[in-house]
């Protein structure tokens, strides 16, 4: 109840008792808005009469303000007066009454403000009543405390109440936001995937244009500092879970990737021995120098060709918590075989998806159905660590079977975790006797004709008894710190006989040179699968670096240590710097005339302002240079400046050597410089002027007067 203008001590005690009784009732029953309005209206007159006295007592005014911020109404002020009378001494009775009146005045004026707010905003009245309830509850506890503590706690309580109110508002806003987010997700689901796929071709070509070789490798880098790790493998408690195969592990970290360690993490075995299948439960890796760094890699799966999903190489995600199960990402791969005669294949098809955080490794695409038939679509789903944005894919086959040739229309990769769809148009043959003879290709995001970097790989077989092999040889080239790699490249067409050197031109859409190491191995298939490798030499024309990787060991499960795959490291003293060359794309148009095609090998030479190229031979191993056909080649040329002439010829000794050339076009893949050389003549000893050599002037946007260019270079050597 509100106090009147003048109060006696007895009247205040009685009123405070009444207020206490009302406060206890209010805890059980919520007061009605009408009662609150009456209390506030009765306090209006008392507040107006005591405005003058309020100005004289600033200290008591501050006390009244503090008590008001804590949230009590008029009933709590009665309790406050009662406590003051118990604490104050009798000799200060008059002063106590004046302070009591003044505190009541300040509270009444505050209630007057609350009354005006309640009239203007009647909808917020229930909130005010709730605060008075909490205030009345807290005041009963505060009465037992001292005066100073009471003021401090009232401030804290007011802050807590305001924080609670703000928390309620934020919760409401979050709920609204979540509803909006759900609605947005629903609209996204209905409208389809909208994530923009960046053009990685432009990023990759810009990286090549800005390439600057490192003068000296920084061996003080964290990658080169030796670390010691303890690796513990726990084999599962399954029937036949043990293995006789050689087991390897590779650790992936912030500073790079370790080479394969013979006993991420990536764990695998070479599928050798009588019982190669292995059921792995988990792997525990501990940093010996810092033992508190212990990583757990859960597997709980088979590494086997015949058990489970048929994989014997697995990527395992690490965690510091042994009970945590890291989530893998799902990728759905759709492969479209073209509707062309003989386009299907019986060979084993594999794919490797490369992203900004790594790659999936070679995954065989196989299921129960008869896959990769003419004009069909085949879908495959597999799990892998999150690769981030997908950069490229490597797809190919192992050339097994009677009809291994395969014509691929396109490949679509659906990244379910990141909700992104990537499309890779291909429209090319994967066959040794079609197109350019390749059975695997790198396809970048954003283009079907990537800027490939050519690596000249020489494989030298040792000159000892039984050194040759009939197995299929593969190589993996690793870039700096092992962060990038070529993926497994099958070296098709080599003999790998004792004392011979097999040379391959491997085209990869990645700049890896100078290499940190090379992995060489075989599939352990065939009658005499064992192989003695002497060395591997890799030359990258783009960087001009030639590196030698000695081996001088057996890759045979029955010889030496039984390994069929090895990591080779460079002998730095044998490194050579050669002339740098840049990749160019060459297109040859054979005329659509009767008998216009040729079976002879074609050679050419390019002239420019800065000199001429070497004579380059275009091998006609596949069905090239046929009537009305366009043939594409990747060639490496030095810096010749502006091109002005093309000299082209063929070997006339072949019985079907006659050839009618329409034109040739050459383009520098990095700068897009393009030159066209028009011919429209026979290269035949029995046609036209009986010449088999033609010199063609350059034409195009970069050539102002092609005729002048031709006459100027007719007599050039």
């Amino acid at each position: 109840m509100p106090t009147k203008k003048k109060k006696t001590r007895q009247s205040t005690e009685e009123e405070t008792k009444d207020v206490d009784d009302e406060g206890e009732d209010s805890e059980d029953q919520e007061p009605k808005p009408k009662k609150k309005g009456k209390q506030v209206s009765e306090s209006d007159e008392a507040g107006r009469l005591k405005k003058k006295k309020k100005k004289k007592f600033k200290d008591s005014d501050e006390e009244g303000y503090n008590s008001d911020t804590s949230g009590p109404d008029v009933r709590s002020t009665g309790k406050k007066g009662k406590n003051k009378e118990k604490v104050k001494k009798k000799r200060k009775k008059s002063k106590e009454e004046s302070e009591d009146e003044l505190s009541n005045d300040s509270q009444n004026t505050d209630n007057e403000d609350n009354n005006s707010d309640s009239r203007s905003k009647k909808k917020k009245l229930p909130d005010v009543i709730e605060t008075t309830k909490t205030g009345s509850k807290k005041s009963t506890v505060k009465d037992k405390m001292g005066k100073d503590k009471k003021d401090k706690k009232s401030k804290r309580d007011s802050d807590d109440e305001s924080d609670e109110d703000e928390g309620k508002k934020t919760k409401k806003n979050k709920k609204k936001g979540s509803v909006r987010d759900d609605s947005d997700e629903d609209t996204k689901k209905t409208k389809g995937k909208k994530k923009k796929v960046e053009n990685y071709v432009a990023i990759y070509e810009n990286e090549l244009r800005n390439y600057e070789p490192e003068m000296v490798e920084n061996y003080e880098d964290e990658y080169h500092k030796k670390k010691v790790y303890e690796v513990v493998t726990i084999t599962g408690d399954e029937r036949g879970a043990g293995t006789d195969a050689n087991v390897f592990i590779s650790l992936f970290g912030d500073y790079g990737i370790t080479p394969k360690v013979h006993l991420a993490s990536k764990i695998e075995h070479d599928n050798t021995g009588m019982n190669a299948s292995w059921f792995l439960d988990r792997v525990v890796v501990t940093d010996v120098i810092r033992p508190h760094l212990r990583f757990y890699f859960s597997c709980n799966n088979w590494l086997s060709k015949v058990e489970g999903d048929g994989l014997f190489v697995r990527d395992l995600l690490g965690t510091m918590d042994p009970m945590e199960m890291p989530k893998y990402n799902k990728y759905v791969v759709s492969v479209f075989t073209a509707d062309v005669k003989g386009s299907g294949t019986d060979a084993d098809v594999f794919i490797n998806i490369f992203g900004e955080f790594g790659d999936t490794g070679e995954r065989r695409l196989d299921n129960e159905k008869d896959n990769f038939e003419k004009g069909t679509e085949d879908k495959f789903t597999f799990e892998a660590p999150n690769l981030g944005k997908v950069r490229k894919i490597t797809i190919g086959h192992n050339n097994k079977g009677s009809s291994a040739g395969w014509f691929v229309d396109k490949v679509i990769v659906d990244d379910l975790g990141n909700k992104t769809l990537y499309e890779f148009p291909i429209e090319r043959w994967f066959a040794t006797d079609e197109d350019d003879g390749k059975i695997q290709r790198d396809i970048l995001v954003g283009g079907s004709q990537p800027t490939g970097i050519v690596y000249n790989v020489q494989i030298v077989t040792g000159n000892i008894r039984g050194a040759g092999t009939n197995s299929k040889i593969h190589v993996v080239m690793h870039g700096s710190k092992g962060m990038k790699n070529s993926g497994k490249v099958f070296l098709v067409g080599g003999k790998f006989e004792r004392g011979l050197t097999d040379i391959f031109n491997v085209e990869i859409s990645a700049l890896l040179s100078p290499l940190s190491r090379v992995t060489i191995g075989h599939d352990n298939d065939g009658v005499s699968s064992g192989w003695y490798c002497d060395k591997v030499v890799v030359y990258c024309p783009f960087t001009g670096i030639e590196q030698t990787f000695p081996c001088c060991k057996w890759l045979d499960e029955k010889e030496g240590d039984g390994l069929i795959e090895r990591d080779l490291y460079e002998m730095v003293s044998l490194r050579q710097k050669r002339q740098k060359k840049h990749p160019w794309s060459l297109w040859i148009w054979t005329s659509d005339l009767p008998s216009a095609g040729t079976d002879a090998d074609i050679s050419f030479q390019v002239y420019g302002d800065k000199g001429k190229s070497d004579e380059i031979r275009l091998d006609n191993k596949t069905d090239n240079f046929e009537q009305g056909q366009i043939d594409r080649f990747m060639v490496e040329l030095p810096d010749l400046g502006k091109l002005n002439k093309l000299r082209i010829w063929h070997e006339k000794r072949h019985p079907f050597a006659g050839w009618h050339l329409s034109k040739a076009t050459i383009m520098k893949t990095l700068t897009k410089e393009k030159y066209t050389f028009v011919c429209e003549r026979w290269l035949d000893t029995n046609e036209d002027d009986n010449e088999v050599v033609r010199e063609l002037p350059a034409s195009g946007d970069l050539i102002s007067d092609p005729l002048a260019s031709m006459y100027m270079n007719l007599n050039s050597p």
Side-chain angles (χ1 to χ4, degrees):
M1 297 290 292
T3 58
K4 294 184 180 180
K5 184 176 181 181
K6 290 184 179 180
K7 279 187 177 181
T8 62
R9 181 177 178 181
Q10 185 176 359
S11 62
T12 54
E13 289 178 355
E14 292 174 356
E15 287 176 0
T16 51
K17 288 179 181 179
D18 295 334
V19 172
D20 291 338
D21 295 334
E22 289 176 4
E24 292 173 358
D25 294 336
S26 64
E27 292 175 3
D28 300 328
Q29 195 173 13
E30 186 176 357
K32 296 181 181 179
K34 291 183 180 180
K35 281 188 178 183
K36 180 71 181 176
K38 286 181 181 180
Q39 290 175 358
V40 175
S41 62
E42 288 175 4
S43 64
D44 293 343
E45 294 180 0
R48 291 171 186 169
L49 293 172
K50 295 176 182 177
K51 283 182 180 177
K52 294 180 181 179
K53 291 183 179 180
K54 183 180 176 182
K55 295 179 181 178
K56 295 179 182 179
F57 297 91
K58 294 180 181 178
D59 297 334
S60 62
D61 190 14
E62 292 174 359
E63 291 175 2
Y65 175 76
N66 292 334
S67 63
D68 181 67
T69 56
S70 65
D73 60 354
V74 181
R75 288 172 286 187
S76 64
T77 59
K79 285 187 178 184
K80 183 179 177 182
K82 182 179 178 180
N83 290 329
K84 283 183 181 179
E85 287 174 355
K86 288 181 180 180
V87 176
K88 298 290 182 179
K89 294 182 179 180
K90 293 181 180 180
R91 59 185 179 181
K92 296 181 180 179
K93 184 177 180 180
S94 59
K95 186 177 179 180
E96 185 182 27
E97 289 179 357
S98 62
E99 287 177 356
D100 193 24
E101 289 174 358
L102 240 154
S103 63
N104 290 331
D105 289 341
S106 62
Q107 290 169 355
N108 289 334
T109 53
D110 293 333
N111 288 330
E112 183 179 354
D113 296 334
N114 291 333
N115 187 22
S116 61
D117 294 335
S118 63
R119 290 174 182 173
S120 60
K121 302 178 181 178
K122 290 182 179 180
K123 293 182 179 179
K124 294 185 178 180
L125 193 56
D127 294 335
V128 177
I129 294 169
E130 289 176 6
T131 55
T132 58
K133 281 175 67 180
T134 56
S136 63
K137 288 178 184 177
K138 290 175 183 176
S139 62
T140 58
V141 181
K142 290 176 188 175
D143 290 338
K144 298 177 184 179
M145 307 298 291
K147 183 178 178 181
D148 296 332
K149 291 181 180 179
K150 182 177 179 180
D151 294 336
K152 291 179 181 179
K153 283 195 174 184
S154 62
K155 289 181 181 180
R156 292 174 185 172
D157 292 338
S158 63
D159 294 335
D160 293 337
E161 288 174 4
S162 61
D163 291 338
E164 288 176 3
D165 293 336
E166 290 177 2
K168 290 177 182 179
K169 291 179 182 179
T170 54
K171 284 180 181 179
K172 290 179 181 178
N173 293 332
K174 285 181 180 178
K175 287 180 180 179
K176 291 179 181 178
S178 63
V179 173
R180 290 175 184 172
D181 293 338
D182 293 337
S183 62
D184 291 340
E185 288 178 1
D186 293 336
T187 53
K188 284 182 180 179
K189 287 178 182 178
T190 54
K191 292 182 180 179
K193 298 177 181 177
K194 287 187 173 181
K195 284 197 175 181
K196 187 178 179 182
V197 178
E198 61 182 351
N199 186 357
Y200 183 61
V201 174
I203 299 173
Y204 169 66
E205 290 181 352
N206 186 56
E207 178 187 348
L208 295 182
R209 281 192 291 268
N210 298 328
Y211 165 75
E212 291 183 2
E214 294 182 4
M215 299 303 294
V216 179
E217 192 168 3
N218 183 15
Y219 286 97
E220 295 298 323
D221 193 90
E222 288 291 335
Y223 176 74
H224 295 285
K225 293 180 181 178
K226 295 295 182 182
K227 304 287 183 182
V228 181
Y229 295 96
E230 179 191 59
V231 179
V232 179
T233 61
I234 295 93
T235 301
D237 189 10
E238 298 280 339
R239 183 178 180 181
T243 182
D244 297 331
N246 297 308
V247 178
F248 302 87
I249 189 170
S250 300
L251 302 179
F252 295 71
D254 293 336
Y255 302 127
I257 304 172
T258 67
K260 283 186 183 180
V261 181
H262 184 206
L263 301 184
S265 102
K266 176 180 285 188
I267 193 159
E268 59 187 294
H269 62 72
D270 56 5
N271 205 43
T272 59
M274 295 295 293
N275 300 307
S277 298
W278 182 35
F279 188 90
L280 175 64
D281 184 57
R282 64 188 183 275
V283 179
V284 181
V285 178
T286 307
D287 189 336
V288 175
I289 300 175
R290 295 171 293 177
H292 64 281
L293 294 179
R294 179 169 291 177
F295 304 93
Y296 300 88
F297 301 87
S298 177
C299 180
N300 195 31
N301 215 328
W302 283 97
L303 281 80
S304 171
K305 267 193 172 183
V306 295
E307 299 284 351
D309 54 7
L311 294 177
F312 56 91
V313 180
R314 293 194 181 275
D315 286 302
L316 306 180
L317 291 177
T319 174
M320 301 286 285
D321 185 1
M323 303 304 294
E324 184 180 349
M325 295 296 292
K327 292 182 179 179
Y328 290 81
N329 199 7
K330 280 191 176 182
Y331 295 90
V332 179
V333 178
S334 302
V335 181
F336 295 82
T337 302
D339 191 7
V340 179
K341 184 179 179 181
S343 58
T345 183
D346 296 329
D348 298 329
V349 175
F350 66 89
I351 191 172
N352 192 353
I353 304 174
F354 292 81
E356 56 184 341
F357 302 143
D359 63 283
T360 61
E362 283 69 32
R363 301 293 184 100
R364 184 180 173 186
L365 302 180
D366 190 19
N367 52 34
E368 295 178 356
K369 60 177 284 191
D370 192 8
N371 300 312
F372 313 118
E373 294 299 318
K374 173 185 173 183
T376 60
E377 174 189 356
D378 299 284
K379 280 192 175 183
F380 308 90
T381 303
F382 55 83
E383 291 185 343
N386 186 14
L387 303 176
K389 295 178 182 177
V390 174
R391 300 303 195 192
K392 70 170 184 176
I393 62 169
T394 298
I395 188 168
H397 61 78
N398 60 0
N399 203 39
K400 281 186 178 179
S402 57
S403 56
W406 184 35
F407 192 94
V408 184
D409 183 25
K410 64 179 178 180
V411 175
I412 295 177
V413 177
D414 190 357
D415 184 350
L416 298 181
N418 297 314
K419 297 181 180 179
T420 311
L421 198 70
Y422 301 91
E423 185 170 347
F424 301 87
I426 303 176
E427 297 179 354
R428 296 193 72 172
W429 280 99
F430 291 71
T432 56
D433 57 350
E434 296 284 352
D435 204 343
D436 55 1
K438 294 181 180 178
I439 61 171
Q440 73 181 74
R441 301 184 187 277
D442 280 3
I443 313 297
L444 295 179
V445 173
S448 59
Q449 297 298 324
T451 304
I453 299 296
V454 177
Y455 297 84
N456 182 271
V457 180
Q458 301 178 36
I459 307 294
V460 181
T461 302
N463 191 15
I464 62 174
R465 184 179 178 182
T469 181
N470 295 325
S471 298
K472 289 182 169 55
I473 306 296
H474 63 261
V475 65
V476 181
M477 294 179 284
H478 302 268
S480 176
K481 302 179 185 178
M483 297 300 288
K484 291 182 180 180
N485 67 81
S486 63
K488 190 178 290 184
V489 180
F490 292 97
L491 304 177
V492 181
K495 294 183 178 180
F496 306 110
E497 295 296 334
R498 173 181 175 178
L500 294 182
T501 299
D502 295 281
I503 302 175
F504 305 89
N505 287 322
V506 178
E507 182 184 342
I508 300 169
S509 297
L511 180 58
L512 305 174
S513 180
L515 306 178
S516 60
R517 67 182 187 273
V518 167
T519 302
I520 189 80
H522 60 77
D523 61 355
N524 202 37
D525 194 15
V527 179
S528 56
S529 58
W531 178 47
Y532 188 90
C533 178
D534 184 58
K535 63 180 177 180
V536 177
V537 181
V538 180
Y539 164 58
C540 177
F542 185 81
T543 59
I545 297 175
E546 182 180 276
Q547 298 173 271
T548 302
F549 301 87
C551 179
C552 300
K553 287 185 179 180
W554 283 97
L555 282 79
D556 189 351
E557 63 176 335
K558 298 177 182 179
E559 296 283 349
D561 53 9
L563 297 182
I564 61 171
E565 187 177 71
R566 297 186 182 278
D567 282 326
L568 308 181
Y569 293 89
E570 179 190 10
M571 185 175 287
V572 183
S573 60
L574 298 179
R575 181 181 291 192
Q576 295 183 9
K577 290 287 290 182
R578 296 167 61 178
Q579 185 182 24
K580 292 183 180 180
K581 297 181 180 180
H582 296 281
W584 290 71
S585 298
L586 174 65
W587 291 269
I588 302 291
W589 274 264
T590 301
S591 302
D592 192 8
L593 296 175
S595 303
T598 181
D599 293 333
D601 291 332
I602 306 298
S603 301
F604 75 97
Q605 194 172 19
V606 181
Y607 294 77
D609 295 339
K610 297 181 180 180
K612 62 181 179 179
S613 68
D614 297 329
E615 294 182 359
I616 300 173
R617 185 174 181 179
L618 302 176
D619 291 332
N620 196 4
K621 292 180 181 178
T622 61
D623 200 10
N624 294 325
F625 313 119
E626 293 298 319
Q627 177 183 334
Q629 184 172 296
I630 303 173
D631 298 289
R632 291 170 286 190
F633 302 91
M634 285 291 299
V635 295
E636 303 289 328
L637 298 176
D639 185 12
L640 302 175
K642 186 185 293 185
L643 304 186
N644 46 49
K645 186 177 72 172
L646 173 71
R647 187 170 182 263
I648 190 166
W649 67 95
H650 67 74
E651 302 264 345
K652 62 182 179 181
R653 295 190 299 269
H654 202 279
F656 301 98
W659 182 40
H660 195 281
L661 173 62
S662 176
K663 63 178 179 178
T665 299
I666 190 168
M667 183 182 72
K668 193 174 184 178
T669 51
L670 294 181
T671 60
K672 308 303 179 186
E673 297 177 38
K674 192 174 182 180
Y675 301 89
T676 301
F677 306 90
V678 181
C679 181
E680 299 295 349
R681 296 190 68 176
W682 283 97
L683 285 78
D684 193 350
T685 55
N686 300 320
E687 297 286 347
D688 205 345
D689 56 359
N690 302 328
E691 291 291 335
V692 295
V693 180
R694 299 290 176 190
E695 293 188 352
L696 310 176
S699 61
D701 296 336
L702 300 175
I703 305 298
S704 56
D705 189 357
L707 292 177
S709 174
M710 178 184 68
Y711 290 127
M712 183 175 62
N713 293 282
L714 275 177
N715 298 321
S716 60

